[in-house]
Amino acid sequence: MVITKSRLVLGATAVTLSTIAVTSLGIHSRGQALFKASPKELVDEVWQIVQRQYVDGTFNQVDWQAVRKEYLSKSYSNPQEAYKSIREMLKKLEDPYTRFMDPAEFKNMQVDTSGELTGIGITISQDEKTKQLVVIAPIEDTPAFKAGVLAKDVILKIDGKNTKGMDTNQAVSLIRGEAGSKVSLTIQRNGQTKQFDIKRARIEIHPVKFSQKKTPAGNLGYIRLNQFSANASKEMQTAIKDLESKRVAGYILDLRGNPGGLLFSSVDIARMWLNKGTIVSTIDRQGEREREVANGRALTNKPLVILVDKGSASASEILSGALQDNKRATLVGTQTFGKGLVQSVRPLEDGSGLAVTIAKYHTPNDRDINKHGIDPDVKVDLTDAQRQDLWLNERDKLATLKDPQFAKAVDVIGKKIAAQGAATAEK
């Protein structure tokens, strides 16, 4: 994420952050100024932003000039009428990530840099093909996580209201609420319907947890990264330095269920593991690339294995893709989520906001992972029952040899450590 004077760029955010409260980004709506746009001016402002920045220069094969003429020919007596037209206009792009937010919705989605959120702790998106609301991942140790919500769950109803045709902004408004209140989610998973009654809460997220692990491969550093928040890179640096001082032989970085977050958090963290090479390329509609590269300041060169699954999205895919393509890490687990688009979030004149897809990103080997995700080097599948037992019912097994994906990671890193030792001996 890049904060500029004019906009907030969610370079690697997987989804609408449906439960996050906003207070401290320092973005103040221009609607607080003396000047306020008329409803028609607001419609035109949105059209102009899309015209200038949208990643697809064909606008989904839509005559975007004709769209402007159509919607500016209408009369608007209040902001709500303009909001309705703006949403109709944006639907023509068929892009769930390009979306309009009224002032309340915009306030609800902005990221609080303190890492505190209010809600149930899930990130959601709208499936581009089915238009269904899908859970990207529950955030670890939040109410949704503890209730048993899983990545790729389809949300059929919110408090009994059918979500068919509902966009993520509407879902956000229904899912959010005061701490202590409850929300009911009807979920479809593998053809079965389940209901979850979840109590909302205020949640403080610490993105990094780490420990030493005594394993058959030796003394390993285990780092669990839950989210790429503003303080993630600082906490990652602390974890690596602490584990280096304990002379671990190698590292297992756990990105399972990590839905993403801030683009430059992922870049900063990649630089801690990678001394040289490209990390990620962002490509705009003119085909112009902006590359982020390593800066020669890696904190360790010891063997690294990364754990990924279908809940690893966006910034997680940037990090794992960068380290995989540069042959710095071996990926173990299952195929990742597949979200490779970049959004810019703009405050509008009346306090509302607009998220617009402005670019896509590719891995260093020029892989476009959008909709496909990243394939692990070593595949280890878990059934939904295994995942639920591991992450909810039997958490003491997580990151132990009773965790099948972790156990395979230990096996893989053991061979890497042995190979590195042999290479050193030959020198």
Side-chain angles (χ1 to χ4, degrees):
M1 180 185 295
V2 180
I3 301 170
T4 70
K5 289 182 180 178
S6 61
R7 69 186 189 274
L8 167 65
V9 178
L10 300 176
T13 303
V15 291
T16 297
L17 296 173
S18 63
T19 57
I20 294 186
V22 183
T23 52
S24 63
L25 268 184
I27 296 177
H28 300 286
S29 166
R30 289 174 290 169
Q32 293 170 349
L34 292 176
F35 171 76
K36 288 191 177 182
S38 71
K40 186 172 288 192
E41 286 172 327
L42 189 68
V43 172
D44 194 41
E45 183 182 10
V46 170
W47 184 91
Q48 295 283 357
I49 292 170
V50 173
Q51 166 74 7
R52 289 193 305 268
Q53 296 189 345
Y54 190 61
V55 68
D56 176 9
T58 75
F59 304 97
N60 191 36
Q61 307 299 320
V62 169
D63 184 341
W64 198 241
Q65 295 291 338
V67 169
R68 181 174 189 253
K69 186 175 181 180
E70 175 188 353
Y71 285 95
L72 290 187
S73 67
K74 295 183 178 182
S75 297
Y76 301 101
S77 58
N78 56 60
Q80 283 66 38
E81 291 179 359
Y83 298 165
K84 183 180 178 183
S85 280
I86 289 169
R87 290 191 169 108
E88 288 176 2
M89 189 167 67
L90 295 178
K91 276 188 177 180
K92 296 178 186 294
L93 299 173
E94 295 185 357
D95 174 6
Y97 302 110
T98 294
R99 63 199 186 276
F100 172 79
M101 293 155 279
D102 65 30
E105 291 165 346
F106 185 49
K107 184 178 179 182
N108 286 343
M109 70 77 55
Q110 295 177 63
V111 178
D112 181 351
T113 55
S114 71
E116 186 178 85
L117 60 83
T118 300
I120 62 172
I122 59 172
T123 51
I124 63 173
S125 183
Q126 187 183 64
D127 186 278
E128 291 181 52
K129 289 184 179 178
T130 66
K131 306 302 181 186
Q132 291 178 304
L133 292 174
V134 179
V135 176
I136 306 302
I139 299 169
E140 194 170 341
D141 293 328
T142 61
F145 179 91
K146 292 174 183 176
V149 176
L150 297 176
K152 298 288 187 177
D153 281 348
V154 176
I155 303 174
L156 300 178
K157 295 180 181 180
I158 303 170
D159 282 335
K161 185 170 184 177
N162 195 309
T163 62
K164 187 174 182 180
M166 184 182 292
D167 65 22
T168 51
N169 292 324
Q170 293 171 292
V172 167
S173 298
L174 293 174
I175 292 172
R176 284 183 54 86
E178 293 184 6
S181 63
K182 286 187 177 181
V183 62
S184 175
L185 299 183
T186 303
I187 296 289
Q188 185 179 64
R189 181 187 302 162
N190 296 332
Q192 295 184 323
T193 302
K194 301 173 179 285
Q195 183 165 320
F196 297 90
D197 295 316
I198 306 171
K199 184 182 287 188
R200 302 176 177 99
R202 292 195 68 83
I203 307 151
E204 186 177 350
I205 296 175
H206 291 287
V208 175
K209 298 177 182 178
F210 68 95
S211 61
Q212 289 184 82
K213 298 283 186 181
K214 304 294 183 183
T215 76
N219 184 29
L220 301 180
Y222 171 76
I223 303 176
R224 167 89 186 128
L225 178 59
N226 299 320
Q227 195 179 42
F228 290 83
S229 59
N231 54 345
S233 57
K234 183 178 179 181
E235 290 192 15
M236 179 64 71
Q237 182 181 57
T238 298
I240 296 172
K241 287 184 174 179
D242 183 277
L243 292 166
E244 281 291 288
S245 73
K246 294 178 170 62
R247 300 183 182 278
V248 297
Y251 290 88
I252 296 175
L253 175 60
D254 195 343
L255 297 181
R256 291 176 292 180
N258 183 324
L262 313 187
L263 170 62
F264 284 97
S265 177
S266 67
V267 172
D268 287 346
I269 290 171
R271 287 174 175 149
M272 296 176 197
W273 300 99
L274 190 64
N275 250 326
K276 62 181 180 179
T278 297
I279 294 169
V280 66
S281 297
T282 55
I283 307 162
D284 65 17
R285 78 178 181 206
Q286 283 80 35
E288 294 182 5
R289 290 174 179 256
E290 184 175 332
R291 290 196 315 153
E292 296 293 340
V293 299
N295 57 10
R297 297 178 183 175
L299 300 179
T300 179
N301 64 355
K302 290 175 182 171
L304 172 65
V305 171
I306 300 177
L307 291 172
V308 294
D309 66 7
K310 61 185 177 182
S312 307
S314 209
S316 289
E317 293 169 305
I318 288 177
L319 177 59
S320 55
L323 300 182
Q324 184 185 53
D325 281 5
N326 282 286
K327 301 190 184 305
R328 176 64 182 90
T330 301
L331 271 56
V332 173
T334 58
Q335 185 180 25
T336 62
F337 184 83
K339 197 276 187 178
L341 299 174
V342 181
Q343 280 75 47
S344 167
V345 178
R346 299 282 298 261
L348 302 173
E349 295 290 357
D350 70 336
S352 57
L354 176 70
V356 57
T357 300
I358 60 169
K360 56 185 178 179
Y361 69 76
H362 284 190
T363 71
N365 286 351
D366 210 28
R367 288 186 289 169
D368 180 356
I369 59 87
N370 198 47
K371 300 182 183 178
H372 176 79
I374 293 175
D375 295 306
D377 300 296
V378 181
K379 189 172 183 180
V380 183
D381 277 320
L382 298 180
T383 66
D384 284 338
Q386 282 179 309
R387 290 171 63 226
Q388 189 153 346
D389 281 342
L390 185 63
W391 290 90
L392 295 170
N393 303 331
E394 299 177 306
R395 287 291 296 280
D396 57 324
K397 292 182 180 178
L398 190 68
T400 72
L401 296 180
K402 294 181 179 179
D403 172 346
Q405 291 171 330
F406 180 86
K408 176 53 74 172
V410 170
D411 179 56
V412 170
I413 203 168
K415 293 173 182 174
K416 289 166 71 83
I417 291 168
Q420 190 179 65
T424 303
E426 286 175 6
K427 292 179 182 178

